[in-house]
Amino acid sequence: MEGIFLRIADFAKQLFSSLNFGPEITSILMALFHVSAIIGFVLLNVLVLVLLERKLSGYFQQRPGPNRLGPNGAFQTIADVIKLFGKELIIPKAADKWVFILATIVVFIPAVMLYAVIPFGKKMIAIDLNIGIFYFIAISSTATIAFIMGGWGSNNKYSLLGGMRTVAQMVSYEIPLVFSLLGVIMIAGSLKMSDIIAAQKDVWFIILQPIAFIIFFISSIAELNRAPFDLPEGEQELVAGPYTEYSGMMFALFFLAEYANMVSISAIAVTLFLGGWQGPILPSWMWFVIKLYIMIFLYMWVRWTFPRIRIDHLMHFNWKFLLPLSLVNIVITGIGIKLVNWLNWF
Amino acid sequence: MLQQFYAVLTFFGFGIFFAIIALVLAKIFGPTNPTAAKITTYECGLDTQGPTWVQFKISYFLYALVFLIFDVETLFLYPWAVMFQKLGLFAFIEMIIFIAILVIGLWYAWKEGALEWL
């Protein structure tokens, strides 16, 4: 069980190298193989997650949730996807046509690229970059562009307000998110994903960096625009925020990217704080999936428990509480490491 | 090293490819019937009044400016954090001074009300 996916990858690698195209083409072919597998994983997860979220929200609110299609509503999402394919792509007359369409593509690119550095299991990482976590931060921040493109391109007042709010919120919460990871990097001494996991062999970083984990968790909810930080698409005030004018597959791409981002940010939380794929008895990828779903369940739990907060509270909480706290965390971590080293030296 | 970035480029290309395929498939399978009422801008059933692309609230710009300063700071902090255990006490104190300067900047922005949402 342990090496089942590795063996498949080895087989593909032998197949590609036997074609004698040279190392560059082979590595591109291998990347294509990896990206197809990852897309399969992501799509499968999104199908499960959308259903899971609707079922969980149902149970949290003491109602059954979707339960008509298939056993206990299991085929609901598949039906939704088929319906979305059959919908018309409406482009409003007033919209900036190309910006409007391009936004759907731009939002999807970072969502795919993020998976390049996620370790799904022992040696199961598409590209083990030496700047792994930095790559993740850099790519994830580009998703902001798509929201301003969609908000501005729709030429709709709700979209513009929603787009502006999204950008303000994502940009603000990115700073505590990035700073909270610094403590982990200081202890691990590397940006490479495999090194960070190896550093958590004895003790998980959630124990050494509890404050960083809480900051990371809160600001990642804001980065994902999920409740209680879902102001950009607050239904009661902004209809659907930047998504207002989108329909059919264009909306589905935004939706898909949102859930794909939730999976990838949970995966990063697992990798950096929960020891990655490490665990006894079960195969490494299974441990990864178990921890991943624990994180995702936490996000959903928070979403259906807390009410939406006001935008000025949101901004004040970030700039006047989370940011100073994350700076203090860096300093405390630094002093802690120096103290431990000093004690070991004696 | 460079081979890894070929792979990154492949991921980038696949992202574009997948999104375009999804849109093209939806265009093929879905109906195309843009009536005049359907392609108007959505606004609660009434026609939209006035232009949308107007001058916008200044606080967004102030947040962007403060963000820029701290985002540049992360560029300095990341290499420092990686090498932290190998560097001596001197580098640590130096970074504390660097962070302190930024905290003074944050305090100034706070005092001047740049962080207020009015």
Side-chain angles (χ1 to χ4, degrees):
Chain A
M1 285 296 275
E2 169 66 48
I4 182 163
F5 294 106
L6 280 176
R7 240 172 279 156
I8 296 169
D10 276 344
F11 176 71
K13 194 163 190 175
Q14 275 169 12
L15 193 73
F16 293 142
S17 48
S18 69
L19 296 171
N20 281 325
F21 281 134
E24 284 87 6
I25 305 287
T26 311
S27 91
I28 288 174
L29 281 174
M30 264 325 274
L32 268 177
F33 180 75
H34 285 145
V35 79
S36 321
I38 287 167
I39 283 282
F41 173 81
V42 172
L43 291 181
L44 202 70
N45 265 292
V46 169
L47 280 182
V48 176
L49 280 183
V50 174
L51 183 73
L52 188 71
E53 176 131 70
R54 292 175 69 180
K55 282 307 250 189
L56 276 179
S57 74
Y59 291 134
F60 277 120
Q61 295 165 353
Q62 296 191 328
R63 55 186 174 83
N67 63 349
R68 294 285 144 175
L69 212 59
N72 221 355
F75 301 145
Q76 184 63 45
T77 336
I78 298 163
D80 286 343
V81 170
I82 294 167
K83 184 200 75 175
L84 279 168
F85 263 112
K87 287 280 176 184
E88 185 178 351
L89 302 178
I90 302 167
I91 300 164
K93 192 174 60 193
D96 191 333
K97 195 182 169 196
W98 285 107
V99 177
F100 185 74
I101 297 170
L102 268 178
T104 60
I105 300 170
V106 172
V107 79
F108 198 71
I109 297 166
V112 173
M113 284 180 82
L114 289 180
Y115 284 92
V117 293
I118 288 172
F120 294 93
K122 201 173 185 179
K123 291 183 192 163
M124 281 165 64
I125 178 166
I127 318 162
D128 200 3
L129 285 177
N130 54 359
I131 52 161
I133 189 64
F134 199 70
Y135 169 90
F136 184 88
I137 292 160
I139 300 294
S140 67
S141 63
T142 57
T144 321
I145 301 166
F147 288 99
I148 193 109
M149 279 171 81
W152 185 265
S154 302
N155 198 357
N156 177 319
K157 293 187 179 74
Y158 295 122
S159 300
L160 183 66
L161 276 171
M164 283 293 193
R165 277 190 184 183
T166 315
V167 172
Q169 178 179 323
M170 285 174 81
V171 145
S172 301
Y173 275 85
E174 197 179 311
I175 295 168
L177 183 94
V178 167
F179 281 3
S180 67
L181 299 182
L182 274 169
V184 170
I185 292 159
M186 280 158 79
I187 299 173
S190 175
L191 296 170
K192 203 172 179 173
M193 294 298 191
S194 49
D195 291 349
I196 293 173
I197 292 173
Q200 295 178 77
K201 205 171 168 223
D202 301 321
V203 57
W204 293 357
F205 284 154
I206 190 172
I207 295 160
L208 296 176
Q209 289 282 314
I211 302 169
F213 178 74
I214 291 164
I215 296 170
F216 177 85
F217 185 66
I218 293 172
S219 40
S220 61
I221 296 171
E223 284 285 299
L224 294 166
N225 297 326
R226 288 173 65 83
F229 302 117
D230 63 340
L231 288 131
E233 43 199 289
E235 290 87 354
Q236 290 84 352
E237 37 193 289
L238 288 176
V239 189
Y243 312 139
T244 307
E245 293 285 7
Y246 285 97
S247 63
M249 207 59 213
M250 291 197 283
F251 173 74
L253 280 178
F254 269 107
F255 201 62
L256 192 60
E258 194 183 311
Y259 276 90
N261 284 338
M262 187 165 87
V263 175
S264 60
I265 214 146
S266 307
I268 287 298
V270 167
T271 308
L272 291 187
F273 292 103
L274 301 180
W277 40 257
Q278 292 175 127
I281 307 164
L282 289 172
S284 58
W285 49 271
M286 207 177 269
W287 269 113
F288 175 80
V289 171
I290 291 168
K291 287 173 185 172
L292 185 74
Y293 269 81
I294 290 172
M295 277 308 294
I296 287 169
F297 177 74
L298 269 179
Y299 282 117
M300 289 183 177
W301 193 1
V302 166
R303 172 168 179 178
W304 296 104
T305 307
F306 294 107
R308 187 183 301 139
I309 67 169
R310 232 167 64 192
I311 187 138
D312 56 334
H313 291 177
L314 174 99
M315 286 303 189
H316 289 181
F317 181 63
N318 175 61
W319 289 103
K320 298 181 178 175
F321 182 71
L322 281 185
L323 177 59
L325 188 67
S326 58
L327 285 172
V328 168
N329 186 51
I330 294 171
V331 175
I332 290 175
T333 309
I335 293 169
I337 292 172
K338 287 288 169 210
L339 268 179
V340 168
N341 286 350
W342 186 62
L343 288 174
N344 284 345
W345 188 64
F346 275 111
Chain B
M1 189 63 225
L2 203 61
Q3 272 186 24
Q4 288 187 325
F5 285 95
Y6 283 127
V8 170
L9 207 64
T10 315
F11 271 78
F12 177 74
F14 197 88
I16 300 175
F17 172 77
F18 187 88
I20 289 174
I21 286 289
L23 288 180
V24 168
L25 278 180
K27 190 78 187 164
I28 292 168
F29 287 123
T32 308
N33 180 25
T35 57
K38 203 186 276 175
I39 58 170
T40 50
T41 302
Y42 173 82
E43 203 165 293
C44 307
L46 298 168
D47 282 340
T48 178
Q49 297 281 320
T52 307
W53 295 331
V54 291
Q55 287 190 335
F56 221 75
K57 205 174 142 172
I58 188 75
S59 6
Y60 289 98
F61 182 67
L62 291 176
Y63 281 121
L65 271 183
V66 183
F67 162 74
L68 199 64
I69 296 160
F70 279 94
D71 214 33
V72 172
E73 189 194 353
T74 55
L75 275 183
F76 292 111
L77 279 173
Y78 264 78
W80 168 79
V82 173
M83 295 306 290
F84 178 75
Q85 305 219 24
K86 289 175 193 126
L87 295 171
L89 197 64
F90 179 70
F92 182 47
I93 292 164
E94 200 172 85
M95 194 45 81
I96 286 179
I97 294 167
F98 179 63
I99 290 173
I101 293 169
L102 276 147
V103 168
I104 293 168
L106 181 71
W107 170 77
Y108 182 70
W110 193 330
K111 194 191 70 141
E112 291 291 305
L115 307 180
E116 296 300 322
W117 187 272
L118 298 169

